[in-house]
Amino acid sequence: MFKGDYLMIVSLNHKEEKTAQLMLKVQLPAYKVEAKLIGFDGIPQLKDDVQSIQASHENFIGYMSEDHLTAFLSYSESDSDYQICRLVVHPNFFKRGIARQLVEHFLNEIVKNKKVVVTTGADNFPAINLYKSFGFTFQKKLEVAPNFFIACFERE
C-alpha cells in the first residue's frame, strides 16, 4: 500500500483501491470541518469517491500514526512551480502539528528551486496562518462561487 521505508511521512499510492479508501476516510471529515469553518459546502473534494482519488494526477504524501493514515498532502508539479492541492488532517488529529510537519517535509524534501502556490478559503485562518508561517505571501483573492472567495499564496 505504501511506497518507501516506514516513516511518519510516506509516499501514498492512491491508485490502489485500499489506499484511496483510507484517504477518503481522512479527506471527507477534514473537508466537512473546513466547509463549516468557511461557510461553504461546495468544496470539490467533498464530492470525491474512490474512483476520483484513483484517477487523480496529483502526488500524495501521507502522515502515519501507529500504522494509520491520519493526514495527507497532495501536490502537482509543472515546469515552473509546485502547487499544493490538498492538505487534510483527520479531525481526531487536529492541533498536533501534523499539517505543519507535512508542509515542512514537502518544502524541504520535495520542492527543488521552484515557486510553490497554494489556495485556501479566504476565511480559513488556520490554513492561512500555517502557510504564512512558512513564508507564503498573499497574492490575490478570487471569487469562485457567489460570495465565496479563495485566497492565493505563493512562496519563492
Side-chain angles (χ1 to χ4, degrees):
M1 172 177 16
F2 304 106
K3 296 186 287 185
D5 297 329
Y6 181 79
L7 300 169
M8 289 301 255
I9 297 176
V10 298
S11 293
L12 298 175
N13 182 356
H14 65 287
K15 303 292 185 191
E16 292 181 357
E17 185 174 350
K18 185 174 181 183
T19 302
Q21 289 171 345
L22 293 173
M23 292 169 68
L24 276 179
K25 289 180 181 179
V26 173
Q27 177 174 297
L28 295 177
Y31 277 118
K32 285 178 184 174
V33 170
E34 182 177 357
K36 188 174 182 181
L37 176 71
I38 63 178
F40 179 70
D41 63 0
I43 299 170
Q45 289 84 354
L46 283 172
K47 296 177 178 70
D48 271 336
D49 58 19
V50 169
Q51 291 74 29
S52 61
I53 293 283
Q54 289 178 297
S56 173
H57 295 292
E58 298 164 22
N59 300 292
F60 294 85
I61 56 173
Y63 187 92
M64 303 298 294
S65 177
E66 298 177 17
D67 292 328
H68 298 299
L69 180 65
T70 58
F72 65 87
L73 178 149
S74 76
Y75 63 93
S76 60
E77 181 182 8
S78 71
D79 290 339
S80 61
D81 62 32
Y82 285 93
Q83 178 171 357
I84 296 174
C85 305
R86 310 168 204 228
L87 176 59
V88 293
V89 177
H90 191 281
N92 291 347
F93 295 88
F94 280 2
K95 307 273 186 205
R96 297 187 189 184
I98 294 171
R100 174 169 297 286
Q101 289 180 56
L102 280 167
V103 172
E104 185 171 42
H105 177 87
F106 172 69
L107 295 174
N108 292 336
E109 303 297 326
I110 296 170
V111 172
K112 295 180 177 59
N113 301 319
K114 287 187 185 178
K115 175 173 65 173
V116 180
V117 296
V118 66
T119 61
T120 189
D123 293 332
N124 186 347
F125 298 112
I128 289 169
N129 290 334
L130 174 67
Y131 294 126
K132 284 183 173 181
S133 76
F134 281 104
F136 283 83
T137 57
F138 174 79
Q139 300 299 307
K140 61 187 171 188
K141 218 190 231 190
L142 297 173
E143 187 172 19
V144 295
N147 297 315
F148 178 71
F149 295 85
I150 59 171
C152 305
F153 292 85
E154 286 183 2
R155 180 180 190 261
E156 293 295 330

